[in-house]
Amino acid sequence: MRRHVSVGFQRFCTIIAIGLVLTGCTGATTSPGYRNPDSRGFAQDAMARGPLPVVIQGTPFAQAETRTTQVVLDNMRRALTWTATPQLIADPALRPTAPFYVVMTFNSGAPDANVQCTISPGGGGPQEQGAVRLAASFCGGGSMISTTSGSIDQSAGRDDPGFARLITQATSDLFPATRQSRPGVGFGVGIGSGGWSGGGISVGF
């Protein structure tokens, strides 16, 4: 029996392979904690009124902090594809009474998210081989709304693709879609009367 693999199936496999390669190259991983399903709505309403404050703690790289801060904000904006007003502003003097804000703590231990939202001093300095540990929380009025953490084992600095991926992934973690469903995968095999068979895979979200 002659086997036939559809062009769509081949493309699907190619896309998966490329994704795996890119993930391996950047090496960024995140581990979401509690995520309020309304966090995206809270942030969108806040940004519609003005920039959402971001408090950055710690110095991930031995480079100018002002430029590193801008890189962090730029990569956070790239993850905010669900809003027409992705307004962010670095605000190190923010008070925990602000309606909504994000705290990004670099190279600290494992700060408790609720403590992080009180904007207690935190963060550490550059690590060997450009490794970065991140704890991020979306907060409101001093309380945690959503939280995540992540890391990269090594990097070449603030412009490294792995660092960019870490920031975008963490930002996406903080603001999940309202409807969170797991992808569905289906596999089908068909056999024709002429001795022809075919297979296909479909992925649904």
Side-chain angles (χ1 to χ4, degrees):
M1 179 183 294
R2 183 168 61 89
R3 294 183 179 274
H4 172 80
V5 179
S6 67
V7 174
F9 177 75
Q10 292 176 332
R11 289 177 178 173
F12 173 81
C13 292
T14 300
I15 292 171
I16 294 298
I18 291 173
L20 291 174
V21 169
L22 291 175
T23 301
C25 290
T26 59
T29 59
T30 60
S31 300
Y34 174 75
R35 298 187 293 171
N36 188 311
D38 295 322
S39 61
R40 181 176 292 193
F42 293 149
Q44 189 159 358
D45 289 345
M47 288 187 289
R49 296 184 177 89
L52 180 68
V54 178
V55 179
I56 298 176
Q57 300 179 319
T59 52
F61 306 111
Q63 298 169 309
E65 289 187 36
T66 302
R67 175 58 183 154
T68 299
T69 296
Q70 189 59 51
V71 168
V72 171
L73 294 181
D74 288 345
N75 284 297
M76 289 181 69
R77 290 190 189 96
R78 291 190 179 96
L80 303 178
T81 57
W82 38 266
T83 177
T85 55
Q87 302 186 80
L88 301 171
I89 185 171
D91 191 349
L94 180 75
R95 298 184 180 277
T97 54
F100 299 106
Y101 52 94
V102 174
V103 182
M104 293 273 195
T105 304
F106 290 101
N107 294 342
S108 185
D112 178 87
N114 289 303
V115 174
Q116 189 180 24
C117 285
T118 65
I119 318 182
S120 299
Q127 305 293 303
E128 293 184 1
Q129 298 184 321
V132 178
R133 295 193 307 274
L134 169 66
S137 294
F138 176 47
C139 314
S143 298
M144 181 268 291
I145 298 174
S146 294
T147 187
T148 189
S149 61
S151 65
I152 50 176
D153 293 333
Q154 60 183 20
S155 72
R158 64 192 174 210
D159 296 316
D160 191 286
F163 183 65
R165 186 174 178 85
L166 175 64
I167 301 303
T168 55
Q169 283 186 191
T171 304
S172 295
D173 288 348
L174 294 180
F175 307 108
T178 302
R179 293 183 178 181
Q180 300 182 51
S181 59
R182 296 183 178 179
V185 178
F187 178 80
V189 177
I191 301 177
S193 58
W196 181 88
S197 64
I201 288 181
S202 63
V203 179
F205 295 90

